[in-house]
Amino acid sequence: MPAASTLSLSMDSNPLKILLASSEAVPFAKTGGLADVAGTLPLEMARLGHQVRLVIPRYGAIDGVAHGFKEWTRITVPTASGSISAIIERGRLSDHGAVGKLPAECDVLAVRHDPYFARKGLYQESGVDFPDNVERFAFFCRAVMELLPALAKADGWTPDLLHAHDWQTALCVVYPRTLYAQQPALKGLRSILTVHNLGYQGLFPASEYPKTGLAWDLFTPAGLEFYGSMNLLKGGLIFADFLTTVSPTYSREIQTAEFGFGLEGVVRERGDRLVGIVNGVDVEVWNPTTDPHVPYRYSASDLSGKQQCKTALQREMHLPVRDVPLLGIVSRLVPQKGMDLVAEVLPELVAQDLQVVLLGTGEPSFEALFRSLQARFPDKIGLRIGFDEGLAHRIEAGADMVLMPSRYEPCGLSQLYSLRYGAVPIVRRTGGLADTVVPYSPRAIREGRATGFAFGEATAQALLTTVLLALRVYEDRNEWRSLVQAGMQTDVSWARSARAYADLYRKALGARG
Ligand code: ADP
Ligand code: GLC
């Protein structure tokens, strides 16, 4: 373990003050990978010596007592329907560090207004979006603006840069340049918007626009208007000083009509301000040698625990305990993730001597489809519809392979967890999947580089052919071990990416215009 002094040498001598605004963050509230990034990046930045504060909505689902959230102050937020008061709760995000890693912590501010946020879901319930999402997130973003003078006054803390994520917080980069342009506490504030998924834009009818509080002269094709509707993400794309997305390949893809969802022109125009930085993972939370969620621990050099995890998973999912290849899927059940392809190939796949374990939640039609497939093949398919963090870990630990046939994938975290847990990823060659998985080929395996399997066409046939190839390679124990070990040794930590963000923050501080 490097001495603390060696570690501190890697800290930045000129700390930056960053406010990171996100609509979800682990361990407080999560629906997907955004939460993993928003809950980990601040700690990585703190480790580099920067001062980061995270601001999130105080959802009802957050266990405020367990997380030690306490009321800190109250602010008044002007909105289109009058002033609304919000409680600002304060807590800490921390990690105890580990071998070679300093402990880190940062301040968390949670914006509390129960009529908006004390609900079961974050954005929707039973698959239906809340009808007041514009009000909710415009309110949140305005609360972030109103919070800045409070922070300056109470703590003498003024951020250099605000880092927003996705459509829910896109207004946080619009307001400083528009509605709040005259606010002294926001003077000189730079901004970055990270696009985690261009498929979700915060698209609403024009009639909702007044709820943002923005002037109508911004509701034009050069502003937040998008073919007659309001597009919140577009506002962020236009006003942020810099844009990032979560992998280099996706940063190129979103400049094309195939992946741009109509915003490719806007993204292309800002191409010189767009950077692709691949996500890391929390290598302590996702660590097969220490993971408290899994029944047996293992490492790349001793995989016996993985075999035991597999047996335990078969039991947990009510599958016969047999020595057959076990394919795992942990995914939102939506078309983006290629779940239609999975449903299409499953009847053919289960004709092979294998088992499939699927954990997911999402579109009711997919849930019903997978339920009926499971009922048809109960000895071959184990299914859990729902969100279950522990089971997600146990699937990565127990599965031999994990399927991620996404139609598009900005980064993807599941395949990074799979690499770390020796569950060989089978992915479609797109976005972050293309950037993080080295596909099997005789040469790549000879050179010890191959970590998974990849296919190009988004078709059930291409997926099937690739799974069949993986099953053949699985028979060759040496080749398989090489894939598993190369994956487990891949560096999927945040180290490099956190530095890339820090470099970009500095660049943003030096640039404008
Ligand atoms: P996305 O954010 O697009 O859903 P990612 O691969 O980036 O995709 O992140 C998904 C995250 O959510 C991973 O941490 C994965 O383990 C987790 N996840 C997805 N579905 C479930 C589920 N049903 N139960 C538990 N965890 C899930
Ligand atoms: C989005 C993307 C996913 C990415 C995650 C975190 O949910 O769909 O690919 O890994 O954000 O950046």
Side-chain angles (χ1 to χ4, degrees), residues 24 31-38 165-166 194-198 200 245-247 250 277-279 332 336-337 404 406 408-416 432-433 494 501:
E24 51 185 274
T31 67
L34 164 62
D36 296 76
V37 175
H165 298 259
D166 282 352
T194 294
V195 177
H196 293 263
N197 190 337
L198 200 64
Y200 298 86
T245 189
V246 286
S247 69
Y250 193 60
I277 303 175
V278 88
N279 292 328
R332 289 187 289 120
Q336 177 204 339
K337 301 290 177 179
M404 252 180 116
S406 307
Y408 72 94
E409 194 61 73
C411 178
L413 296 172
S414 289
Q415 85 281 8
L416 301 179
L433 299 175
W494 265 103
Y501 275 110

XYZ file of all heavy atoms in Angstrom, residues 24 31-38 165-166 194-198 200 245-247 250 277-279 332 336-337 404 406 408-416 432-433 494 501, ligand 2:
344
model
N -30.157 12.191 -9.252
C -30.016 10.964 -8.456
C -28.538 10.726 -8.180
O -27.675 11.166 -8.943
C -30.635 9.741 -9.144
C -30.226 9.475 -10.566
C -31.015 8.289 -11.170
O -30.573 7.152 -10.976
O -32.033 8.530 -11.828
N -31.986 5.245 -10.097
C -32.748 4.456 -11.067
C -31.823 3.853 -12.113
O -32.208 2.950 -12.829
C -33.834 5.282 -11.808
O -33.180 6.248 -12.644
C -34.770 5.987 -10.851
N -30.602 4.379 -12.236
C -29.700 3.844 -13.265
C -28.284 4.331 -13.058
O -27.921 4.829 -11.976
N -27.486 4.198 -14.116
C -26.053 4.479 -14.023
C -25.716 5.920 -13.660
O -24.654 6.178 -13.085
N -26.611 6.863 -13.980
C -26.371 8.259 -13.596
C -26.083 8.362 -12.100
O -25.188 9.092 -11.662
C -27.596 9.113 -13.978
C -27.700 10.493 -13.331
C -26.538 11.388 -13.721
C -29.014 11.175 -13.708
N -26.853 7.604 -11.312
C -26.684 7.655 -9.857
C -25.296 7.162 -9.450
O -24.661 7.739 -8.558
C -27.755 6.816 -9.172
N -24.813 6.114 -10.110
C -23.481 5.592 -9.777
C -22.428 6.669 -10.052
O -21.509 6.873 -9.263
C -23.154 4.351 -10.617
C -24.099 3.199 -10.328
O -25.249 3.242 -10.796
O -23.715 2.275 -9.613
N -22.568 7.337 -11.189
C -21.576 8.352 -11.553
C -21.664 9.547 -10.597
O -20.651 9.993 -10.047
C -21.798 8.820 -13.010
C -20.859 9.973 -13.362
C -21.593 7.654 -13.973
N -22.883 10.028 -10.341
C -23.035 11.235 -9.513
C -22.635 10.984 -8.064
O -22.252 11.908 -7.352
C -24.480 11.742 -9.584
N -26.070 17.266 -14.955
C -26.180 15.960 -15.602
C -27.581 15.734 -16.165
O -28.568 15.769 -15.418
C -25.860 14.852 -14.583
C -24.469 14.946 -14.055
N -23.445 14.146 -14.504
C -23.912 15.787 -13.147
C -22.320 14.472 -13.891
N -22.574 15.468 -13.056
N -27.647 15.492 -17.462
C -28.908 15.109 -18.107
C -29.981 16.208 -18.039
O -29.782 17.270 -17.481
C -29.435 13.784 -17.545
C -28.682 12.579 -18.124
O -27.876 12.781 -19.056
O -28.900 11.459 -17.657
N -23.083 17.093 -18.555
C -22.779 15.740 -19.026
C -24.052 15.088 -19.525
O -25.068 15.082 -18.829
C -22.153 14.893 -17.896
O -20.876 15.455 -17.577
C -21.939 13.453 -18.344
N -23.968 14.567 -20.742
C -25.108 13.852 -21.331
C -24.877 12.366 -21.101
O -23.961 11.777 -21.655
C -25.194 14.132 -22.845
C -26.333 13.332 -23.469
C -25.360 15.615 -23.107
N -25.735 11.796 -20.269
C -25.614 10.359 -20.003
C -26.416 9.554 -21.001
O -26.174 8.351 -21.165
C -26.059 10.035 -18.578
C -25.157 10.611 -17.536
N -24.160 9.883 -16.929
C -25.067 11.857 -17.028
C -23.510 10.661 -16.074
N -24.039 11.864 -16.122
N -27.393 10.194 -21.603
C -28.229 9.461 -22.556
C -29.027 10.467 -23.365
O -29.941 11.106 -22.831
C -29.174 8.531 -21.776
C -29.884 7.572 -22.698
O -30.035 7.830 -23.901
N -30.328 6.461 -22.156
N -28.674 10.608 -24.644
C -29.346 11.618 -25.469
C -30.786 11.205 -25.804
O -31.562 12.011 -26.314
C -28.541 11.856 -26.747
C -28.801 13.164 -27.476
C -28.414 14.366 -26.655
C -28.050 13.199 -28.810
N -33.040 10.654 -23.696
C -33.947 11.279 -22.728
C -33.655 12.769 -22.706
O -32.619 13.194 -22.217
C -33.746 10.667 -21.333
C -34.050 9.182 -21.285
C -33.085 8.238 -21.612
C -35.315 8.728 -20.940
C -33.358 6.875 -21.596
C -35.607 7.368 -20.910
C -34.618 6.448 -21.234
O -34.898 5.107 -21.216
N -19.844 13.641 -22.701
C -20.667 12.463 -22.657
C -19.789 11.316 -22.191
O -18.587 11.497 -22.016
C -21.395 12.191 -23.985
O -22.324 11.129 -23.751
C -20.425 11.805 -25.087
N -20.405 10.159 -21.958
C -19.739 9.185 -21.095
C -18.893 8.123 -21.814
O -18.504 7.144 -21.186
C -20.754 8.565 -20.111
C -21.112 9.565 -19.026
C -22.021 8.101 -20.825
N -18.601 8.358 -23.082
C -17.560 7.564 -23.744
C -17.159 8.262 -25.036
O -17.964 8.989 -25.627
C -18.049 6.137 -24.056
O -19.036 6.163 -25.063
N -19.452 7.246 -28.032
C -20.780 7.880 -27.983
C -20.691 9.367 -28.339
O -21.601 9.926 -28.941
C -21.407 7.675 -26.609
C -22.884 8.009 -26.551
C -23.807 7.340 -27.358
C -23.371 8.995 -25.690
C -25.160 7.649 -27.309
C -24.731 9.310 -25.629
C -25.619 8.630 -26.447
O -26.966 8.937 -26.395
N -15.714 11.103 -22.010
C -14.911 10.544 -20.902
C -15.635 9.305 -20.377
O -16.759 9.394 -19.891
C -14.740 11.563 -19.756
C -14.094 12.856 -20.264
C -13.911 10.958 -18.617
C -14.005 13.969 -19.221
N -14.968 8.183 -20.495
C -15.611 6.938 -20.112
C -15.771 6.869 -18.583
O -14.927 7.368 -17.835
C -14.775 5.768 -20.688
C -13.688 5.326 -19.773
C -15.638 4.622 -21.115
N -16.905 6.335 -18.125
C -17.138 6.212 -16.676
C -16.195 5.200 -16.051
O -15.800 4.228 -16.690
C -18.555 5.704 -16.400
C -19.620 6.714 -16.771
O -19.400 7.909 -16.677
N -20.770 6.219 -17.185
N -32.309 -2.336 -17.299
C -33.616 -1.730 -17.471
C -34.254 -2.436 -18.667
O -33.583 -2.716 -19.668
C -33.470 -0.234 -17.770
C -33.011 0.561 -16.562
C -33.045 2.059 -16.820
N -32.000 2.481 -17.743
C -32.220 3.084 -18.911
N -33.452 3.339 -19.310
N -31.214 3.447 -19.677
N -33.854 0.444 -25.664
C -32.439 0.853 -25.749
C -31.513 -0.316 -25.436
O -30.442 -0.462 -26.033
C -32.150 1.991 -24.755
C -30.674 2.420 -24.753
C -30.223 3.086 -23.447
O -31.045 3.589 -22.678
N -28.932 3.097 -23.207
N -31.907 -1.133 -24.491
C -31.024 -2.195 -24.006
C -31.106 -3.452 -24.870
O -30.541 -4.492 -24.500
C -31.370 -2.526 -22.553
C -31.229 -1.335 -21.617
C -29.764 -0.948 -21.415
C -29.621 0.285 -20.536
N -28.226 0.652 -20.302
N -25.410 -7.863 -22.977
C -25.745 -6.438 -23.089
C -25.841 -6.069 -24.567
O -24.948 -5.436 -25.127
C -24.679 -5.589 -22.407
C -25.200 -4.982 -21.119
S -23.962 -3.999 -20.335
C -24.703 -2.375 -20.395
N -27.225 -3.829 -26.300
C -27.863 -2.517 -26.419
C -27.905 -2.007 -27.854
O -26.943 -2.150 -28.603
C -27.095 -1.503 -25.573
O -26.955 -1.963 -24.255
N -28.126 1.198 -28.382
C -27.082 2.211 -28.177
C -26.748 2.200 -26.696
O -27.562 1.786 -25.869
C -27.531 3.599 -28.654
C -28.560 4.289 -27.806
C -28.191 5.183 -26.818
C -29.915 4.056 -27.999
C -29.141 5.822 -26.037
C -30.876 4.689 -27.223
C -30.477 5.570 -26.245
O -31.416 6.203 -25.466
N -25.544 2.606 -26.361
C -25.139 2.576 -24.942
C -24.118 3.668 -24.703
O -22.945 3.534 -25.063
C -24.535 1.213 -24.598
C -24.399 0.965 -23.109
C -25.752 0.999 -22.400
O -26.547 0.051 -22.552
O -26.014 1.999 -21.707
N -24.544 4.777 -24.103
C -23.616 5.895 -23.891
C -22.312 5.449 -23.218
O -21.225 5.768 -23.689
C -24.433 6.840 -23.014
C -25.861 6.566 -23.441
C -25.922 5.093 -23.705
N -22.418 4.745 -22.109
C -21.216 4.128 -21.533
C -21.556 2.692 -21.174
O -21.039 1.748 -21.735
C -20.717 4.870 -20.297
S -19.286 4.039 -19.592
N -22.469 2.560 -20.214
C -22.762 1.215 -19.699
C -21.870 0.961 -18.507
O -20.647 1.145 -18.569
N -22.491 0.597 -17.397
C -21.716 0.240 -16.216
C -21.777 -1.255 -15.996
O -20.822 -1.876 -15.522
C -22.271 0.966 -14.989
C -22.143 2.488 -15.045
C -22.886 3.131 -13.895
C -20.676 2.889 -15.024
N -22.913 -1.840 -16.373
C -23.081 -3.269 -16.094
C -21.939 -4.091 -16.676
O -21.446 -5.015 -16.027
C -24.418 -3.758 -16.643
O -25.461 -3.218 -15.863
N -21.503 -3.760 -17.898
C -20.415 -4.557 -18.493
C -19.095 -4.348 -17.743
O -18.245 -5.238 -17.727
C -20.262 -4.253 -19.996
C -19.420 -3.062 -20.362
C -20.182 -1.746 -20.189
O -21.283 -1.688 -19.665
N -19.582 -0.664 -20.644
N -18.958 -3.175 -17.098
C -17.735 -2.939 -16.314
C -17.770 -3.790 -15.045
O -16.761 -4.365 -14.630
C -17.592 -1.457 -15.968
C -17.534 -0.488 -17.163
C -17.415 0.958 -16.682
C -16.358 -0.820 -18.082
N -20.084 3.117 -25.285
C -19.119 2.701 -24.270
C -18.854 1.207 -24.287
O -17.806 0.756 -23.799
N -19.770 0.434 -24.834
C -19.524 -1.013 -24.912
C -18.340 -1.257 -25.849
O -17.472 -2.091 -25.579
C -20.776 -1.748 -25.400
C -22.019 -1.623 -24.518
C -23.229 -2.282 -25.168
C -21.760 -2.242 -23.151
N -11.962 4.739 -11.433
C -12.194 6.115 -11.852
C -10.909 6.902 -12.092
O -10.950 8.016 -12.611
C -13.000 6.839 -10.766
C -14.458 6.830 -11.052
C -15.397 6.040 -10.458
C -15.156 7.651 -11.997
N -16.632 6.317 -10.983
C -16.507 7.298 -11.929
C -14.767 8.641 -12.900
C -17.477 7.900 -12.729
C -15.740 9.237 -13.704
C -17.069 8.870 -13.612
N -11.762 14.618 -16.081
C -12.742 15.638 -15.689
C -12.031 16.847 -15.072
O -12.366 17.995 -15.376
C -13.751 15.072 -14.680
C -14.914 14.358 -15.341
C -15.055 12.981 -15.267
C -15.887 15.075 -16.036
C -16.121 12.317 -15.875
C -16.961 14.432 -16.646
C -17.073 13.055 -16.564
O -18.123 12.426 -17.162
C -27.036 6.368 -18.804
C -26.591 5.494 -19.958
C -25.528 4.500 -19.575
C -24.450 5.150 -18.717
C -25.086 5.822 -17.529
C -24.066 6.504 -16.637
O -28.007 5.772 -18.031
O -27.695 4.824 -20.544
O -24.930 3.967 -20.747
O -23.524 4.188 -18.278
O -25.976 6.805 -17.963
O -23.301 7.435 -17.337
